[in-house]
Amino acid sequence: MDSKKEIRKYIFGRRKETSVEEVEENSRVICEKILALPEFQQADCVYAYADYNKEVITKGIIEAAWKAGKRVAVPKVTGAHEMKYYYITSFDQLSPGYFQIPEPSEGEEALEETAFLVVPGVAFDINRHRAGYGQGFYDRYLSQHPKHKTVAVAFEFQIVEEVPAEVTDIFPQKVVTEARVIE
Ligand SMILES: Nc1nc2c(c(=O)[nH]1)N(C=O)[C@@H](CNc1ccc(C(=O)N[C@@H](CCC(=O)O)C(=O)O)cc1)CN2
Ligand SMILES: Nc1ncnc2c1ncn2[C@@H]1O[C@H](COP(=O)(O)OP(=O)(O)OP(=O)(O)O)[C@@H](O)[C@H]1O
C-alpha cells in the first residue's frame, strides 16, 4: 500500500497532465450530480470551497445554491491547522490567501451545525478514505462539527486503489466523480 505522500505525488502528476478543458467539462458533470442530490436540495446552507490548481471547479454549485436561495460559505485558513467558514454573496468577496487559494475576507462567520458541506481532496478510494494536502484542516474541522452532510467531489483519476486511513481521518458520506457516486 502506498503512503499518503506517494499517493499525493502521483495525483499531482496526473493533475498536471489533465487539460483545463477536461477539468471544466468534468466539473460541469460533477456539479450536475451534486445538484441532483436530495441532501443538496434540502440544505439551507452550502459550505463549499473556492477551487484552485485544477481542483474540481465549484462555481456551478455555488451559483446554483445562491439561485435557490441558499446561503453559501467557504473556508478561510485562520491559524495553524485551523480553518473557519465565512459567508459569501459574491465571488468578488474572495481574494488570494493561504497558498493563493481564493478566500473570503473576514465577514460573518458561518456557524450552522448541519450544512451541506462540499469536501475537496487529493485522493479517495472506494471506501471513501480521503487524503487532502496533508495538514488535517478538514479532519480537525469535521471532528469538531460532526453534524454536517459531507459530500466530497473528485475527478475519476483521483480515485485510487487504497488510501491508508489514520484514526483521525473523517470520511465524507459520499464521493461524487464525473462517473459515479461512491457511498
Ligand atoms: N480550494 C481549497 N481550499 C481549501 C482547502 C483545499 O483543499 N482546497 N483546504 C483543505 O485542507 C484548506 C487549505 N489547506 C491547504 C493545505 C495545504 C496546501 C498546500 O500545501 N499547498 C501547496 C502544496 C501542494 C502540494 O503538496 O503540491 C501548494 O499549493 O503549492 C494548500 C491548502 C482550506 N481551503
Ligand atoms: N482531529 C485531529 N486532531 C489533531 N490532529 C489531527 C486531527 N486530524 C488530523 N490530525 C493530524 O493532522 C495531520 C494531517 O492529517 P492528514 O494527512 O489526514 O491530512 P489531510 O486529510 O490530507 O489534509 P486536509 O484535511 O487538510 O485536506 C496528521 O498528522 C494528523 O494526525
Side-chain angles (χ1 to χ4, degrees):
M1 182 168 44
D2 289 340
S3 68
K4 278 191 172 177
K5 205 174 155 195
E6 288 165 320
I7 292 170
R8 284 186 192 104
K9 203 171 148 200
Y10 165 75
I11 297 293
F12 292 143
R14 293 291 307 268
R15 234 180 219 181
K16 270 212 185 100
E17 293 164 5
T18 305
S19 69
V20 171
E21 289 72 28
E22 278 173 282
V23 167
E24 288 175 349
E25 173 55 24
N26 289 328
S27 294
R28 265 193 290 277
V29 176
I30 291 167
C31 173
E32 291 308 315
K33 292 196 157 136
I34 291 286
L35 305 192
L37 293 177
E39 301 94 304
F40 175 84
Q41 293 171 1
Q42 285 157 16
D44 293 326
C45 190
V46 174
Y47 286 26
Y49 65 88
D51 57 271
Y52 86 123
N53 204 7
K54 292 189 185 167
E55 290 177 319
V56 173
I57 298 168
T58 53
K59 191 166 177 272
I61 300 172
I62 292 172
E63 284 175 341
W66 280 331
K67 235 179 166 172
K70 303 177 196 296
R71 297 189 92 182
V72 173
V74 296
K76 179 183 175 71
V77 173
T78 50
H81 306 290
E82 189 196 52
M83 64 177 196
K84 290 181 177 168
Y85 281 86
Y86 291 91
Y87 294 114
I88 57 165
T89 53
S90 152
F91 292 111
D92 297 342
Q93 291 158 358
L94 300 173
S95 51
Y98 191 70
F99 280 108
Q100 301 302 311
I101 300 174
E103 289 187 336
S105 45
E106 277 175 48
E108 188 189 348
E109 190 180 350
L111 295 166
E112 271 87 1
E113 272 193 26
T114 48
F116 178 86
L117 195 148
V118 186
V119 180
V122 175
F124 298 87
D125 68 20
I126 58 159
N127 296 311
R128 292 176 281 109
H129 295 175
R130 167 182 178 276
Y133 291 108
Q135 300 214 25
F137 282 103
Y138 274 85
D139 293 325
R140 278 190 191 75
Y141 176 83
L142 292 173
S143 70
Q144 288 156 17
H145 303 86
K147 291 187 182 164
H148 292 307
K149 308 272 179 234
T150 53
V151 177
V153 288
F155 300 119
E156 210 34 54
F157 73 77
Q158 293 175 272
I159 310 298
V160 299
E161 185 154 344
E162 190 175 7
V163 175
E166 291 161 58
V167 282
T168 47
D169 284 349
I170 299 200
F171 313 142
Q173 290 153 8
K174 293 182 180 176
V175 181
V176 175
T177 76
E178 68 275 22
R180 54 185 156 161
V181 177
I182 299 167
E183 47 193 316

